[in-house]
């Protein structure tokens, strides 16, 4: 029987936080990706054939943001590297479309990661053409039996399609089609129409194999996933604490209010990333004094995530700026959303001051202009042709970037809003 | 170090510092929960979320709170202001030198790309792994949208790209929806710094810089008067502090002269209120500098009018230039078909036509000046000027100098020498001021009055406009 040091409560909470945070925000790979079994098997099989049998392959993994593409790939690669034959042979090259924004940079990165002979330390010698020729020669020299298979992982694949002439893609896919070094080209992308971006010659060399990651979870499975994500693993050092924690999590998931919150999130997006941010915000409120998760935590986290930021910004505007926004709203209603300029807004504002207002002081035009420019700075109002215009500032056409409903809602919450301003906003005619 | 202790730890640490951090104590102590949320979300000893986005109005304490937290807890951080980073290489340089020293930053090649930065970062962090979370704070992050398109999405997921415990904190005035790239990105956690309420917070903060020789209650009443004038226009804490500092000596003048006591709030209010109204039209708009404002307060015996920046009234124009400018204004804002009616001596019968086009919803004065050809300008000029003017080169050169002064603007290409087109870029107030200077005859005033009449009419009032036109006796 092994002796276990009993940990203090504070240490337990800290360790629990660490585990959960690693899972939720540090993207620790799970043992097995949830609800992606068939895709997992497919991908593993493909890569196994390249690694062990020397078949060249190309495949695209397509799915919306946060659906688990990188996670799936990570799990598959982890299992692949655990195979003995693959471990010794396979070379892995990882490229990212955000980092390697140019073919030249991408080529240097490939040469560096493959440790070819023209790399000394970190520096790659030679021009783009020389590097390309060198790489292709190195790849072409091999054949199925004697050379090491190379796996190219291209993250943000759609960004590679924007490079000039799509040189890199063409060459990689060309190598994968001809009987040379066994090469597997894996692309990960969030665009469903990625094939439209490829040139004809590149598209024809691609094997048109796509793995789609569309989440097919039902709500019950979603709640199960929440419970699984929040539970502590069985090898936690203090079993009493972890049992109590898991029990409280199970009870939490059965509560009505929590189910409502989860259903709201499930209805807006099923992907795991938004779920992780919700759970992260609730887990981060756990501390020594507050050592279990309550539904208030989830409620607060949900409220933070679903707040309307533009309405919040409207809360902090001055009265003059708010009046200008109401004037713009009236102009939009009268002229059906046509762009307006500062003179028109000022005209509406003057009409309000003269006829209906008692509490708003009559401000000079330059003061009103300064308030208008503040709204421009906050990007609540945007010029129609954003660029240098030869029109005077007062006559430049603008559009309001707020909706009718947002303005009315902001008015309700505005602190100490004068009643005549509210009446003006609610009236149908200016 | 648990989160709870961490929070109380902050309170004790900051209380030791001097007056400036009173502001931080106030912010963290205030009942606004989200500051605690930020603290717990970016816990330094554990993994934290890869990116955090903090937004709020100007001067709500965003940079101040984040930087004071970093300094007081002595966390490894790199604070970069995106306005300074003209190129992304400057950003990389600052981040690497803040985390790994200037030698690491010197390893960056010329014009480093994001790929070089990530590679170097990975190298450096494997040599010196992080014991605590590293923070990169990007102030005024809205400028990053104009830099390389891949910089913002890459920085948002920097944690997974470099495989290190690093968090990127973005601070901005503009909401997150305007940042999101087209194909999406890693969504950061969003936190909002709320603005101040007038009664509780704003007055309290502004009263902190009270003058030592007067009581805090006097200063508080001064702040209340100031807010009464300026709060409906501007809520920016910095502006209000600036105005408070500039005008306080004027407020205390009656007290120094012995005319009033500290409790005579009404008298003090009567003294300062017109002064604050004038400040709104000058210093608040930056029409005069604060030095000029203070000087003007000192020699206040003669209530001199301030030489204001944008009042063109003190521009001295030659005699004919004034007429040219008036003619240009009339040409820009009166439609061409009305010229015959206004400027010809005998225009025959006045026809009852649809004067204004049916679909012209707004008057010309709302839509802006229209371009006019040179010939039209000269025609109106000759009918407006009271003496006979020969078309010499000196008259024409005055038009070019008006363009240089940006009182007129040229429309169309520079090469068009045949019939250049111009537009008037001054306002009606300026034209009225000029025409008052010029010894003007009745006729000119009528034309300007008519222009005003056109300005104030909207579509429906055709008939009254028609009668107004026929009533003006144009000789």
């Amino acid at each position: 029987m092994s002796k276990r040091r009993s940990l203090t409560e504070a240490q337990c909470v800290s360790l629990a936080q660490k585990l959960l945070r690693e899972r939720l925000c540090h993207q620790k790979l799970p043992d097995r990706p949830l609800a992606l079994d068939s895709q997992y098997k497919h991908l593993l099989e493909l890569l196994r054939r390249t690694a062990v049998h020397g078949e060249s392959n190309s495949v695209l993994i397509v799915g919306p943001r946060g659906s688990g593409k990188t996670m799936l790939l990570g799990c598959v690669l982890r299992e692949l590297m655990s195979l003995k034959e693959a471990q010794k042979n396979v070379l892995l090259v990882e490229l990212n479309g955000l980092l390697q924004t140019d073919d030249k940079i991408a080529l240097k990165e490939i040469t560096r990661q493959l440790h070819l002979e023209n790399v000394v330390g970190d520096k790659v010698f030679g021009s783009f053409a020389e590097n390309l020729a060198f790489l292709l020669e190195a790849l072409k020299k091999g054949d199925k039996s004697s050379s090491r298979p190379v796996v190219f992982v291209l993250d943000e694949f759609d960004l590679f399609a924007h490079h000039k002439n799509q040189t890199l893609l063409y060459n990689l896919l060309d190598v994968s089609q001809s009987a040379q070094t066994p090469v597997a080209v894996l692309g990960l992308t969030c665009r469903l129409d990625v094939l439209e971006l490829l040139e004809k010659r590149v598209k024809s060399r691609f094997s048109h194999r796509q793995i789609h990651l569309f989440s097919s979870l039902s709500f019950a499975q979603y709640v199960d996933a929440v419970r699984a994500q929040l539970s502590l693993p069985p090898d936690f050092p203090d079993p009493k604490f972890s049992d109590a924690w898991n029990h409280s999590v199970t009870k939490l998931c059965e509560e009505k209010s929590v189910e409502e919150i989860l259903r709201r999130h499930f209805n807006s997006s099923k992907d795991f990333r938004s779920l992780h941010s919700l759970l992260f915000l609730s887990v981060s409120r756990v501390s020594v004094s507050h050592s279990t998760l309550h539904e208030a935590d989830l409620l607060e986290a949900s409220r933070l995530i679903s707040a309307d930021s533009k309405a919040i910004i409207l809360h902090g505007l001055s009265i003059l700026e708010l009046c200008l926004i109401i004037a713009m709203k009236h102009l939009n209603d009268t002229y059906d959303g046509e762009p307006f300029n500062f003179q028109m807004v000022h005209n509406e504002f003057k009409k309000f001051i003269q006829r209906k207002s008692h509490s708003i002081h009559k401000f000079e035009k330059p003061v009103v202009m300064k308030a208008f420019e503040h709204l421009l700075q906050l990007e609540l109002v945007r010029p129609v042709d954003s660029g240098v215009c030869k029109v005077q500032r007062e006559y430049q056409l603008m559009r309001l970037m707020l909706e009718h409903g947002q303005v009315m809602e902001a008015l309700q919450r505005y602190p100490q809003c004068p009643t005549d301003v509210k009446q003006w906003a609610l009236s149908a005619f200016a | 170090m648990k989160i709870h202790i961490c929070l109380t730890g902050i309170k004790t640490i900051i209380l030791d510092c001097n007056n400036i951090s009173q502001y931080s104590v106030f912010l963290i102590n205030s009942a606004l929960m989200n500051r605690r949320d930020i603290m717990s979300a970016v816990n330094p000893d554990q993994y934290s979320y890869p990116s955090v986005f903090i937004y709020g109005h100007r001067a709500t304490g965003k940079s101040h709170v984040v930087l004071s937290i970093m300094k007081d807890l002595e966390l490894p951080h790199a604070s970069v202001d995106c306005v300074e980073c003209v190129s992304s290489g400057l950003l990389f340089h600052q981040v690497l030198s803040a985390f790994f020293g200037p030698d690491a930053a010197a390893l960056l090649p010329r014009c480093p790309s994001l790929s070089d930065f990530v590679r170097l970062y990975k190298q450096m962090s494997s040599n010196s792994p992080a014991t605590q979370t590293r923070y990169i704070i990007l102030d005024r992050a809205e400028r990053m949208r104009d830099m390389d398109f891949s910089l913002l999405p890459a920085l948002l997921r920097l944690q997974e790209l470099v495989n290190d415990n690093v968090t990127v904190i973005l601070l901005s005035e503009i909401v997150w929806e305007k940042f999101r790239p087209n194909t999406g990105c890693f969504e950061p956690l969003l936190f909002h710094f709320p603005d101040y309420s007038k009664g509780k917070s704003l007055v309290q903060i502004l009263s902190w810089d009270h003058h030592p020789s007067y009581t805090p209650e006097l200063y508080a009443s001064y702040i209340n008067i100031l807010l009464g004038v300026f709060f409906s226009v501007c809520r920016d804490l910095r502006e209000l502090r600036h105005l408070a500092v500039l005008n306080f000596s004027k407020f205390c003048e009656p007290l120094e002269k012995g005319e009033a006591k500290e409790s005579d709030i009404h008298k003090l209010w009567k003294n300062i209120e017109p002064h604050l109204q004038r400040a709104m039209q000058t210093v608040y708009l930056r029409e005069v500098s604060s030095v000029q404002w203070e000087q003007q307060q000192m020699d206040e015996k003669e209530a001199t009018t301030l030489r204001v920046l944008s009042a063109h009234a003190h521009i001295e124009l030659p005699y004919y230039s004034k007429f040219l400018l008036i003619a240009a204004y009339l040409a820009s804002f009166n439609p061409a078909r009305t010229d015959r009616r206004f400027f010809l001596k005998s225009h025959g019968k006045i026809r009852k036509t649809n004067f204004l086009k049916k679909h012209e919803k707004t008057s010309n004065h709302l839509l802006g000046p229209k371009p006019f050809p040179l010939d039209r300008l000269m025609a109106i000029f000759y009918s407006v000027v009271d003496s006979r003017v020969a078309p010499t080169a000196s008259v024409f050169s005055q038009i070019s100098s008006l363009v240089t002064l940006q009182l007129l603007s040229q429309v169309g290409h520079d090469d068009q020498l045949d019939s250049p087109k111009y537009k008037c870029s001054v306002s009606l107030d300026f034209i009225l001021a000029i025409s008052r200077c010029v010894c003007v005859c009745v006729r000119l005033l009528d034309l300007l009055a008519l222009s005003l009449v056109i300005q104030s009419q909207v579509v429906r009032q055709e008939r009254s406009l028609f009668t107004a036109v026929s009533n003006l006796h144009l000789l």
Side-chain angles (χ1 to χ4, degrees):
Chain A
M1 191 175 73
S2 57
K3 258 196 185 175
R4 293 231 183 134
R5 258 186 330 121
S6 63
L7 302 170
T8 63
E9 168 128 26
Q11 283 176 315
C12 281
V13 169
S14 171
L15 191 56
Q17 274 267 342
K18 181 160 179 284
L19 279 167
L20 290 173
R21 275 170 184 248
E22 212 177 7
R23 206 185 275 163
L24 294 174
C25 65
H26 199 64
Q27 282 106 25
K28 178 164 171 271
L29 291 177
D31 299 322
R32 191 85 178 188
L34 281 160
L36 292 174
D37 278 335
S38 58
Q39 290 99 331
Y40 183 84
K41 283 202 195 73
H42 187 169
L43 193 59
L44 183 63
E45 189 53 37
L46 265 173
L47 284 181
R48 224 173 52 83
R49 275 194 262 143
T50 307
V52 177
H53 303 293
E55 270 182 35
S56 287
N57 269 317
S58 51
V59 66
L60 269 181
I61 305 177
V62 178
R65 293 262 176 208
S67 50
K69 304 183 286 290
T70 317
M71 179 194 65
L72 175 68
L73 187 65
C75 290
V76 169
L77 284 176
R78 185 178 58 186
E79 182 157 342
L80 185 75
M81 291 303 175
S82 65
L83 295 172
K84 240 195 298 199
E85 312 97 337
Q87 213 174 39
K88 281 187 285 188
N89 284 337
V90 170
L91 290 166
L92 185 60
V93 174
E94 284 175 330
L95 299 175
N96 193 316
L98 290 174
L99 300 179
Q100 278 88 42
T101 45
D102 198 358
D103 276 338
K104 217 161 56 165
I105 304 174
L107 202 59
K108 287 211 166 126
E109 190 62 32
I110 296 177
T111 330
R112 218 177 265 130
Q113 290 192 20
L114 286 178
H115 302 294
L116 295 181
E117 282 96 26
N118 55 350
V119 176
V120 174
D122 229 6
K123 194 155 154 44
V124 179
F125 293 93
S127 70
F128 174 64
E130 288 171 16
N131 286 341
L132 184 59
F134 197 77
L135 174 69
L136 289 178
E137 213 193 292
L139 289 175
K140 281 191 175 76
K141 257 204 302 216
D143 67 351
K144 221 158 106 160
S145 48
S146 62
S147 43
R148 298 174 67 176
V150 187
V151 174
F152 287 96
V153 174
L154 296 160
D155 224 333
E156 313 281 346
F157 186 81
D158 46 298
L159 293 177
F160 283 103
H162 290 309
H163 293 179
K164 186 160 177 281
N165 286 343
Q166 300 181 353
T167 325
L168 182 73
L169 287 181
Y170 174 75
N171 285 304
L172 284 179
L173 291 174
D174 194 34
V175 172
S176 78
Q177 288 287 53
S178 32
Q180 295 157 8
T181 318
V183 145
V185 179
L186 297 170
L188 287 91
T189 177
C190 65
R191 285 183 69 158
L192 296 180
D193 62 341
V194 61
L195 285 183
E196 316 288 327
L197 296 171
L198 296 177
E199 274 181 29
K200 190 165 140 267
R201 54 179 187 150
V202 180
K203 200 152 118 174
S204 62
R205 282 166 174 77
F206 175 56
S207 69
H208 287 261
R209 217 177 264 123
Q210 292 187 39
I211 299 181
H212 290 281
L213 295 180
F214 296 131
S215 167
S216 55
L217 291 176
S218 68
F219 184 63
Q221 289 172 317
Y222 191 75
V223 177
D224 282 339
V226 169
R227 196 178 310 125
Q229 298 277 356
L230 286 176
S231 308
L232 294 175
D235 58 353
F236 195 75
D238 188 350
K240 240 181 22 180
F241 182 81
S242 68
D243 284 338
W245 176 274
N246 292 343
H247 184 69
S248 75
V249 164
T250 320
K251 268 187 49 188
L252 191 71
C253 292
E254 287 163 5
E255 280 195 42
K256 256 287 169 218
S257 50
V258 170
E259 200 189 299
E260 269 207 32
I261 296 173
L262 289 178
R263 189 173 279 281
R264 209 174 33 229
H265 272 268
F266 179 72
N267 285 338
S268 52
S269 72
K270 287 194 205 175
D271 61 281
F272 277 99
R273 193 174 282 162
S274 48
L275 177 64
H276 281 185
S277 57
L278 173 70
L279 295 179
F280 177 81
L281 279 173
S282 8
V283 164
S284 64
R285 301 160 79 83
V286 168
S287 64
V288 175
S289 57
H290 180 89
S291 59
T292 44
L293 266 181
H294 295 301
E295 59 174 297
D297 298 329
L298 265 173
L299 198 60
E300 184 65 28
S302 168
R303 194 190 59 84
L304 262 179
I305 287 194
S306 48
D308 182 7
S309 31
K310 274 191 189 163
I312 291 176
I313 286 284
L314 281 177
H315 188 270
L317 291 180
S318 63
I319 293 274
L320 178 59
E321 288 155 3
L322 194 68
C323 289
L324 287 180
I325 290 197
I326 299 174
M328 287 189 251
K329 180 185 88 78
H330 279 302
L331 279 175
N332 271 343
D333 291 336
T334 322
Y335 294 120
D336 283 329
E338 272 183 30
F340 48 80
N341 59 28
F342 172 68
Q343 282 286 102
M344 296 186 205
V345 179
H346 187 56
N347 208 29
E348 281 284 328
F349 178 63
K350 270 197 304 201
K351 281 200 277 190
F352 166 62
I353 297 281
Q354 280 160 10
R355 292 182 206 167
K356 293 194 193 168
S357 156
H358 316 288
S359 56
I360 310 283
H361 178 69
K362 181 176 188 300
F363 293 111
E364 303 278 315
K365 192 164 171 192
V367 178
V368 182
M369 185 73 191
K370 184 161 174 170
F372 189 75
E373 281 178 349
H374 184 221
L375 289 176
L376 258 180
Q377 218 176 6
L378 286 174
E379 296 198 8
L380 292 171
V381 180
R382 225 183 54 169
V384 169
D385 39 2
S386 53
V388 184
C389 225
K390 282 202 151 189
V391 186
Q392 279 174 279
R393 269 182 328 177
E394 290 103 20
Y395 298 109
Q396 205 169 12
L397 289 176
M398 313 263 174
R399 274 193 207 276
L400 181 66
M401 306 308 292
L402 291 169
E403 253 204 327
H404 185 104
Q406 276 174 316
V407 177
M408 300 314 289
E409 195 196 314
L411 263 176
Q412 297 303 323
R413 288 202 254 143
Y414 193 76
Q416 294 158 352
C417 184
T419 32
D420 46 359
V421 172
K422 264 201 199 152
Q423 294 287 7
W424 179 41
L426 291 168
S427 66
F429 302 101
Chain B
M1 210 158 91
K2 302 295 172 294
I3 308 167
H4 185 70
I5 300 173
C6 203
L7 280 172
T8 48
I10 289 180
K11 283 189 203 169
T12 50
I13 289 172
I14 292 182
L15 277 169
D16 292 338
C17 301
N18 52 15
N19 200 20
I20 307 170
S21 299
Q22 214 178 347
Y23 183 55
S24 330
V25 173
F26 168 78
L27 288 176
I28 294 186
N29 276 349
S30 60
L32 302 160
M33 284 302 287
N34 52 5
R35 312 217 200 258
R36 290 172 188 249
D37 288 336
I38 296 174
M39 262 319 297
S40 47
V42 295
N43 193 341
D45 290 325
Q46 308 232 6
Y47 298 111
S48 51
Y49 211 73
S51 47
V52 173
F53 182 79
I54 299 178
Y55 65 103
H57 279 281
R58 265 183 286 186
T60 40
K62 305 182 290 289
S63 326
H64 187 90
V65 168
V66 174
L67 287 175
S68 350
I69 291 176
M70 295 293 148
K71 280 206 201 79
D72 291 326
L73 294 179
E74 288 172 14
L75 300 171
H77 69 281
S79 164
V80 179
D81 194 334
C82 292
V83 175
E84 296 171 355
C85 296
V86 182
S87 72
S88 41
L90 292 167
L91 198 152
F92 302 147
H93 202 268
Q94 286 193 30
V95 170
L96 283 178
S97 60
F99 285 151
F100 306 112
D103 310 324
L107 288 174
L108 273 175
R110 288 261 165 130
C111 299
S113 65
L114 194 49
S115 176
D116 295 321
F117 169 66
V118 166
R119 198 192 58 226
L120 211 54
Y121 190 107
K122 270 203 258 199
Q123 247 181 0
M124 294 287 136
S125 71
S126 58
N127 291 343
S128 50
T131 44
Q132 280 183 316
T133 316
R134 294 194 175 111
Y135 297 95
I136 300 180
I137 300 161
L138 295 168
D139 215 340
R140 294 204 257 180
E142 61 264 15
R143 298 296 177 120
M144 281 213 340
R145 299 177 293 175
D146 307 323
M147 289 159 72
D148 295 333
F149 75 96
S150 64
L151 186 62
L152 182 63
L155 281 176
L156 288 171
R157 37 169 86 230
L158 193 65
Q159 199 180 75
E160 74 178 74
L161 289 176
V162 301
N163 221 357
D164 184 34
N165 198 12
V166 60
T167 296
V168 176
I169 302 179
L170 298 162
L171 303 168
S172 176
E173 219 187 352
I174 298 181
V175 297
W176 172 248
E177 280 87 24
K178 308 231 180 232
F179 279 76
R180 209 179 268 136
N182 277 339
T183 47
C185 60
F186 188 92
E187 298 280 325
L189 291 179
L190 302 178
F191 288 118
H192 170 65
F193 266 59
D195 42 283
Y196 301 115
S197 60
K198 176 176 180 182
K200 287 188 297 184
S201 327
L202 205 53
V203 175
Q204 205 181 349
I205 296 176
L206 285 170
S207 325
W208 281 336
D209 11 68
H210 68 267
H211 209 259
S213 41
Y214 294 100
T215 58
E217 290 81 27
L218 178 71
Y219 200 78
S221 45
Y222 165 61
I223 291 291
N224 275 317
I225 297 174
L226 183 83
L227 286 180
V229 174
F230 281 101
F231 190 67
S232 48
V233 172
C234 155
R235 299 206 173 172
D236 189 358
L237 182 64
R238 286 193 201 118
E239 285 262 14
L240 292 171
R241 278 182 86 186
H242 179 65
L243 289 162
V245 164
L246 280 182
N247 293 306
F248 188 59
S249 51
K250 176 77 180 167
F251 180 74
C252 299
E253 226 179 50
L255 291 173
E256 284 173 14
K257 285 192 201 157
E259 289 167 359
K261 292 200 301 285
E262 281 199 9
S263 45
D264 288 339
I265 297 292
H266 188 69
K267 223 184 206 173
L268 295 169
W269 178 78
K270 262 189 17 187
N271 175 41
I272 191 74
E273 219 242 336
H275 192 78
L276 286 177
Q277 293 289 351
R278 246 182 312 141
M280 193 189 306
Q281 285 154 19
T282 49
V283 172
Y284 174 65
L285 298 173
R286 307 292 192 273
E287 299 273 340
V288 297
S289 69
S290 23
V291 172
Q292 275 177 299
W293 181 251
E294 285 177 345
Q295 263 176 359
Q296 197 258 344
Q297 287 183 45
M298 296 226 263
D299 40 54
E300 244 261 293
K301 310 295 185 266
E302 337 85 62
T304 46
T305 50
L306 293 167
R307 284 180 68 85
V308 196
L309 265 180
S310 65
H312 290 146
H314 65 270
I315 290 182
E316 284 304 315
L317 288 174
Y319 187 66
Y320 285 148
S321 290
K322 292 189 182 145
F323 280 104
L324 276 170
L325 197 55
I326 295 172
Y329 183 81
L330 290 170
S332 273
F333 283 100
N334 289 351
R337 58 172 183 276
T338 59
D339 281 351
R340 208 155 163 252
R341 190 157 299 163
F342 298 158
F343 301 112
L344 279 186
K345 296 206 175 175
S346 56
H347 49 253
K349 268 197 333 194
I350 301 169
R351 268 180 278 124
K352 261 189 189 178
T353 51
N354 272 339
F355 190 57
L356 292 168
K357 286 192 216 133
K358 275 203 187 119
H359 58 267
E360 204 175 286
K361 293 185 205 149
T362 48
S363 71
N364 280 337
H365 278 259
L366 291 182
L367 288 175
K370 302 257 172 15
F372 53 84
L374 180 63
D375 305 330
R376 190 166 163 229
L377 172 66
M378 293 317 290
I380 298 181
F381 173 67
Y382 289 137
S383 67
V384 160
V385 151
D386 40 6
S387 50
R388 287 185 76 81
V389 182
T392 56
S394 56
V395 174
F396 285 101
S397 67
Q398 290 187 22
I399 300 180
S400 319
S401 46
L402 282 176
V403 174
T404 321
L405 284 172
Q406 296 195 348
L407 299 170
L408 290 186
S409 57
Q410 190 160 11
V411 177
H413 227 270
D414 260 346
D415 306 351
Q416 254 184 336
L417 292 175
D418 260 356
S419 53
K421 290 195 173 194
Y422 298 98
K423 228 175 6 176
C424 178
S425 16
V426 291
S427 63
L428 183 60
D429 309 318
F430 185 54
I431 295 288
L432 286 175
I434 283 193
S435 54
R436 260 181 245 122
C437 298
V438 168
C439 177
V440 128
C441 67
V442 175
R443 208 166 138 238
L444 187 56
L445 281 174
D446 282 345
L447 287 168
L448 285 167
L450 185 63
S451 186
L452 269 172
V453 164
I454 293 180
Q455 176 189 11
S456 57
Q457 299 295 348
V458 190
V459 179
R460 334 185 239 297
Q461 291 161 9
E462 279 185 21
R463 291 209 96 206
S464 49
L465 181 61
F466 173 69
T467 47
V469 167
S470 53
N471 280 341
L472 282 173
H473 290 295
L474 300 170
L475 287 168

